[in-house]
Amino acid sequence: MLVQVSHLIKLGLMVLVVTATGAVNIYSWSDLYDLYDFIQFASYRTSIVPSKYLMTMMIIIMMISFYFFARHLERQSRKLFLWKIGVHDQKERVFEMRRWNEALVTNMLPEHVAKHFLGTKMRDEELYSQSYDEIGVMFASIPNFSDFYTEEGINNGGIECLRILNEIISDFDSLLDRDEFRCITKIKTIGSTYMAASGLTPESNTNGYGSRKPEDQSLIERWQHLSGLADFALAMKVTLDNLNKQSFNNFMLRIGLNKGAVLAGVIGARKPHYDIWGNTVNVASRMESTGVMGNIQVVEDCYDILKEYGFRFIRRGPIFVKGKGELLTFFMKGKDKSRGKAGPGTTALPHQVEDLS
């Protein structure tokens, strides 16, 4: 307790104690000190300072010494206290800085990739990459946004157009916060084109189903994430329709879906970017670019899987795809409420007469 008391209070207490002790020595115990001096120094002929005064002086010197010692101790205690406060503040700032850095990295990279970089000591020359065998890829663009964009004065040099585009993309991003879309990872946006993928999980080639191998899983289990990606595409259309009603616009989505193997990785030493590559990505991009506004186009492989989840399709027929030749494609029109029923929900376009089996 005395360490925390101010030096002035200590000084007051010591002065009080020394005064009381000096009064006792000089007045109350005066006879005892005189008797001691007579017995001890009776043989000395020279005069000596009485012991009662010597004792009082010694107590005063001790008081002064203790005061300076207490003052020094107090200064050191204050320095230690301020040092501890400074260290605590620095730790809080470091923790806050790390939290912001983690949030920034998590916004730039998928969560499992961000944990990889934050949890290990990576060297600049080290490359992060991961192969996946069963991934869903989606490209969604707004082709008529380029017709809407203008830099005339009425749009404040194009700022109002960018504000609307930002609102659209932000609404698409907010869909990813839903539990049913947690398996979907946003890859990037290029202009008014939105790219996303499903099944990009830390487990290699299992697409989020733990340690079970793909051959040990049913079709419904293996491609559940692809069904989620298709649901996400339909939700994007609903979101854009709602925004059109609010802003009195007529934007339309053109979406392409594909599934298959990809290679994922992070490139760049500055502003690192997470991306995916492979034939699957190229075909998904072609499904978008060769599609029709307001429709979701898929290849036959995706159709064979998604029809098992209750999605409804219209057969478009073979189309020419650059680098791939002719591919049989379908338009996904919606989803039955009772998903998973037997039998594909497919309707042919009027000019398609081929056998759908």
Side-chain angles (χ1 to χ4, degrees), residues 142 144-145 148 164 168 240 243-244 249-253:
I142 308 175
N144 56 342
F145 180 81
F148 169 79
I164 293 178
I168 294 173
L240 187 60
L243 192 143
N244 285 334
N249 288 307
N250 190 30
F251 296 127
M252 299 182 70
L253 281 172

Side-chain angles (χ1 to χ4, degrees), residues 112-183:
H112 67 277
V113 180
K115 289 181 178 179
H116 173 79
F117 281 97
L118 292 173
T120 59
K121 295 182 179 179
M122 301 289 295
R123 296 193 301 268
D124 293 339
E125 62 272 14
E126 289 186 355
L127 176 68
Y128 173 84
S129 62
Q130 183 73 42
S131 297
Y132 299 92
D133 290 338
E134 297 178 348
I135 295 297
V137 182
M138 181 200 74
F139 282 86
S141 67
I142 308 175
N144 56 342
F145 180 81
S146 57
D147 299 332
F148 169 79
Y149 180 82
T150 177
E151 296 183 357
E152 296 178 357
I154 191 173
N155 284 321
N156 195 15
I159 295 179
E160 291 302 318
C161 298
L162 293 181
R163 183 188 62 80
I164 293 178
L165 180 60
N166 177 69
E167 185 176 353
I168 294 173
I169 299 300
S170 298
D171 288 345
F172 292 163
D173 290 341
S174 64
L175 293 175
L176 298 177
D177 295 331
R178 298 183 185 178
D179 291 337
E180 61 265 32
F181 298 142
R182 289 195 305 172
C183 62

Side-chain angles (χ1 to χ4, degrees), residues 93-104:
R93 287 196 295 269
V94 169
F95 177 78
E96 187 71 12
M97 185 73 68
R98 179 176 178 82
R99 191 174 66 86
W100 282 106
N101 289 339
E102 290 178 352
L104 180 61

Side-chain angles (χ1 to χ4, degrees), residues 135-141 172 175-176 184-188 193-198 225-226 228-237 253-259 262 276 280-281 283-288 295-298 302 332:
I135 295 297
V137 182
M138 181 200 74
F139 282 86
S141 67
F172 292 163
L175 293 175
L176 298 177
I184 299 172
T185 302
K186 176 185 176 182
I187 303 300
K188 59 185 174 183
T193 301
Y194 194 97
M195 180 182 178
S198 63
H225 63 86
L226 183 62
L229 187 62
D231 286 329
F232 180 68
L234 294 174
M236 291 175 68
K237 294 182 64 178
L253 281 172
R254 187 175 65 195
I255 302 176
L257 288 177
N258 192 28
K259 62 91 177 177
V262 300
I276 55 178
T280 302
V281 179
V283 173
S285 178
R286 294 287 186 265
M287 288 298 100
E288 180 274 322
N295 289 278
I296 303 172
Q297 184 172 231
V298 303
C302 286
M332 186 174 68

Side-chain angles (χ1 to χ4, degrees), residues 171-319:
D171 288 345
F172 292 163
D173 290 341
S174 64
L175 293 175
L176 298 177
D177 295 331
R178 298 183 185 178
D179 291 337
E180 61 265 32
F181 298 142
R182 289 195 305 172
C183 62
I184 299 172
T185 302
K186 176 185 176 182
I187 303 300
K188 59 185 174 183
T189 56
I190 307 173
S192 60
T193 301
Y194 194 97
M195 180 182 178
S198 63
L200 295 173
T201 56
E203 296 82 6
S204 175
N205 300 326
T206 60
N207 296 335
Y209 292 103
S211 58
R212 296 177 60 191
K213 296 181 179 180
E215 55 268 20
D216 296 334
Q217 303 165 11
S218 67
L219 181 68
I220 299 298
E221 287 180 320
R222 289 169 53 190
W223 292 106
Q224 184 66 44
H225 63 86
L226 183 62
S227 172
L229 187 62
D231 286 329
F232 180 68
L234 294 174
M236 291 175 68
K237 294 182 64 178
V238 174
T239 300
L240 187 60
D241 289 341
N242 293 334
L243 192 143
N244 285 334
K245 295 177 182 178
Q246 297 173 6
S247 60
F248 304 100
N249 288 307
N250 190 30
F251 296 127
M252 299 182 70
L253 281 172
R254 187 175 65 195
I255 302 176
L257 288 177
N258 192 28
K259 62 91 177 177
V262 300
L263 175 65
V266 177
I267 56 175
R270 294 186 179 180
K271 295 183 180 179
H273 174 65
Y274 181 80
D275 209 343
I276 55 178
W277 299 268
N279 181 65
T280 302
V281 179
N282 298 334
V283 173
S285 178
R286 294 287 186 265
M287 288 298 100
E288 180 274 322
S289 60
T290 60
V292 179
M293 283 199 303
N295 289 278
I296 303 172
Q297 184 172 231
V298 303
V299 294
E300 188 175 10
D301 290 342
C302 286
Y303 159 76
D304 291 336
I305 294 174
L306 292 176
K307 69 182 181 181
E308 302 296 333
Y309 293 90
F311 290 96
R312 293 180 285 106
F313 292 87
I314 289 180
R315 186 177 189 269
R316 184 185 185 187
I319 63 170

Side-chain angles (χ1 to χ4, degrees), residues 316-337:
R316 184 185 185 187
I319 63 170
F320 178 77
V321 177
K322 183 179 179 181
K324 304 298 176 185
E326 285 193 348
L327 295 178
L328 181 61
T329 61
F330 297 80
F331 286 143
M332 186 174 68
K333 289 299 183 180
K335 185 178 182 181
D336 294 332
K337 294 183 179 180

